[in-house]
Amino acid sequence: LDEPFANLDPTSRKILNNLLLETNEKTNTTMIISSHDIANVADVCTRIGILEDGQIVRDIQASDKTYEELQEYFDIKKNNITITQS
């Protein structure tokens, strides 16, 4: 699924979240979700891989701290951005 939560209202996000969780539970199907929405990813995924330049740079097993770990990772990345002017 590519950005499945993008442009959805909060109710539709919750419905999709529940549908993905139910589908995984009933069919034991692995789903790959590509998303920039860390809140929804943290809610629905059991394992999260962070890609940079086509390489996995972080492999996270979901826990009750997943959202905080993702938030910390991306805040660090954001704060380390170097902007150069020419």
Side-chain angles (χ1 to χ4, degrees):
L1 304 169
D2 185 16
E3 296 290 352
F5 305 105
N7 302 314
L8 295 180
D9 61 84
T11 301
S12 296
R13 284 175 183 242
K14 187 65 175 169
I15 290 168
L16 179 58
N17 235 1
N18 290 340
L19 178 63
L20 293 173
L21 291 170
E22 287 174 16
T23 299
N24 177 259
E25 185 177 308
K26 288 179 181 177
T27 65
N28 198 30
T29 300
T30 298
M31 292 174 259
I32 297 174
I33 299 173
S34 172
S35 182
H36 292 87
D37 187 333
I38 63 174
N40 283 102
V41 167
D43 282 345
V44 75
C45 295
T46 57
R47 184 174 178 189
I48 299 165
I50 299 175
L51 300 175
E52 286 184 17
D53 298 322
Q55 302 295 315
I56 297 175
V57 296
R58 183 76 62 94
D59 186 355
I60 301 169
Q61 293 294 327
S63 72
D64 58 341
K65 300 290 183 189
T66 301
Y67 179 73
E68 290 82 6
E69 186 175 348
L70 291 169
Q71 205 171 28
E72 180 182 303
Y73 177 82
F74 286 107
D75 282 346
I76 289 169
K77 295 299 291 182
K78 180 177 69 176
N79 292 330
N80 286 330
I81 293 173
T82 303
I83 299 173
T84 57
Q85 294 181 346
S86 46

